[in-house]
Amino acid sequence: MIVFGAAGGMAGSAWAQDVQDDPFKSFPSISAQPKMPKLNSFSPVIPSEAAHGPTTRDVRLEALLKDKGGAVEQGLTWRVFSPIPGSDGKLPLVATSQGGSAAFQLVPGEYFVNVAFGRAGATRKIRVAETGSFERQVLVLDAGGVTLNAVSGADVRIPQGELSFSIFSSDVKEDGERALVVADVKPSTVVRLNTGTYHVVSNYGSVNAVIRADIQVEAGKLTEATIQHRAAKLTLKLVAEPGGEAIADTAWSILTASGDVVSESVGAFPTLVLAEGDYSAVARNNEKIYQRDFTVTAGVNADVEVLLSNTAAQPGAQSAAVAPGNAQD
């Protein structure tokens, strides 16, 4: 078990475990490819034309995740380009293949061969001679993968629909930003990446429950990382008595201890996720204002009940109760 510390943002942590038995077959994967040259020409070798033109050679290609590793048997996309730019200035695509190892019939000459494995890839220039043997070409991807998930508090499961991840480069540019590698990654989805350190941003809900962590991707390994959020899900209610029915048409504002507004909504019992800390709930109903302070504890989902008094409420009047909710959804 490898422990990763959170970097920046709200305090938090992540832990990860290497999965090595058929690692890239256990989870759904992101199929989007890394950025490639725009391809607007396709020039396959047509057997009938090849018979009357230059003789083609058998070119066999395979890819490894790491040096001296086994050949990748699925999930690869191969592209073969001519090195001579077309009239549009782009390299013409000669052939393509998907799956594992590939075999092409190519006219003697020079080519650029690119193999992509999710967001990881490798490129090599090859020369196909007219005569003599042509050895199988092996490209080393130097790649692995990561699958992300998260809990709230110590071990409270977070519904997958309320989580999203973005993966950034670990390098910080001159403007203080990081290059985005892939956005909106769903939990338990394999992201195939070149080896290295990546900066992961995990969003729980849509308010302020954000955790950042650095994750290491190793060649030939799938790392299953779990990020620990310091947050909880809350349901807001304006009630006449503890446990009473929520009053409809209530406008809500949630303020931090320093007075900053972090959320606004309208409804009888809106639900939101907040990072742990101290807050104030302000309820507006019938031109009256009710307010109370409350504390969010990581992993403790709860109902925040703001009580009505028997007398007309004055702006800023305090009357409320917090009812613990179900820690598990």
Side-chain angles (χ1 to χ4, degrees):
M1 188 72 70
I2 306 172
V3 178
F4 294 88
M10 293 289 182
S13 62
W15 61 89
Q17 183 174 3
D18 294 329
V19 181
Q20 300 192 51
D21 294 331
D22 287 331
F24 296 98
K25 298 180 181 179
S26 303
F27 302 90
S29 63
I30 291 178
S31 59
Q33 304 299 330
K35 290 185 178 180
M36 295 289 297
K38 291 185 178 179
L39 308 173
N40 50 17
S41 61
F42 183 75
S43 307
V45 176
I46 302 173
S48 60
E49 292 182 355
H52 301 287
T55 302
T56 60
R57 302 295 306 278
D58 187 17
V59 177
R60 297 185 177 276
L61 306 167
E62 69 178 29
L64 315 179
L65 289 179
K66 62 180 180 179
D67 192 27
K68 299 182 180 179
V72 179
E73 298 178 356
Q74 61 179 6
L76 298 176
T77 298
W78 294 92
R79 294 180 176 91
V80 180
F81 298 91
S82 167
I84 303 174
S87 58
D88 58 0
K90 300 177 176 63
L91 300 182
L93 178 65
V94 175
T96 184
S97 175
Q98 293 188 341
S101 300
F104 297 104
Q105 293 291 321
L106 298 177
V107 173
E110 292 185 333
Y111 301 89
F112 284 113
V113 175
N114 173 272
V115 58
F117 184 63
R119 296 279 169 167
T123 301
R124 174 186 294 178
K125 187 175 184 179
I126 64 171
R127 179 177 179 81
V128 180
E130 294 184 7
T131 60
S133 62
F134 189 81
E135 296 181 354
R136 179 189 299 265
Q137 299 295 298
V138 179
L139 281 72
V140 179
L141 287 159
D142 190 25
V146 63
T147 179
L148 302 167
N149 221 310
V151 296
S152 178
D155 58 0
V156 177
R157 181 185 61 85
I158 299 175
Q160 291 197 354
E162 297 174 8
L163 274 175
S164 68
F165 303 91
S166 294
I167 301 176
F168 295 83
S169 166
S170 61
D171 298 327
V172 180
K173 297 184 291 185
E174 292 182 359
D175 59 2
E177 299 295 324
R178 301 174 188 266
L180 178 65
V181 177
V182 56
D184 195 25
V185 178
K186 301 304 180 186
S188 301
T189 301
V190 170
V191 185
R192 298 160 176 167
L193 300 165
N194 286 111
T195 59
T197 301
Y198 294 86
H199 188 73
V200 176
V201 178
S202 174
N203 289 272
Y204 174 22
S206 59
V207 183
N208 65 350
V210 181
I211 292 294
R212 300 171 181 269
D214 288 336
I215 303 295
Q216 183 73 29
V217 174
E218 298 183 52
K221 296 181 180 179
L222 175 64
T223 299
E224 187 174 1
T226 300
I227 291 176
Q228 185 179 43
H229 273 275
R230 306 297 302 174
K233 183 188 294 186
L234 306 174
T235 300
L236 307 174
K237 297 179 181 180
L238 179 63
V239 296
E241 58 184 12
E245 184 176 352
I247 298 173
D249 300 322
T250 300
W252 296 91
S253 296
I254 303 299
L255 287 68
T256 64
S258 60
D260 297 324
V261 177
V262 295
S263 176
E264 292 184 317
S265 58
V266 177
F269 37 85
T271 299
L272 72 164
V273 176
L274 293 174
E276 70 176 355
D278 296 325
Y279 298 87
S280 293
V282 178
R284 298 175 180 84
N285 185 274
N286 243 356
E287 299 183 356
K288 297 178 181 179
I289 299 176
Y290 308 86
Q291 178 179 330
R292 72 142 327 226
D293 297 334
F294 65 97
T295 298
V296 176
T297 302
V300 181
N301 298 340
D303 294 337
V304 176
E305 295 183 339
V306 179
L307 300 176
L308 293 175
S309 66
N310 292 330
T311 59
Q314 299 297 321
Q318 279 190 250
S319 179
V322 178
N326 219 346
Q328 296 280 353
D329 286 87

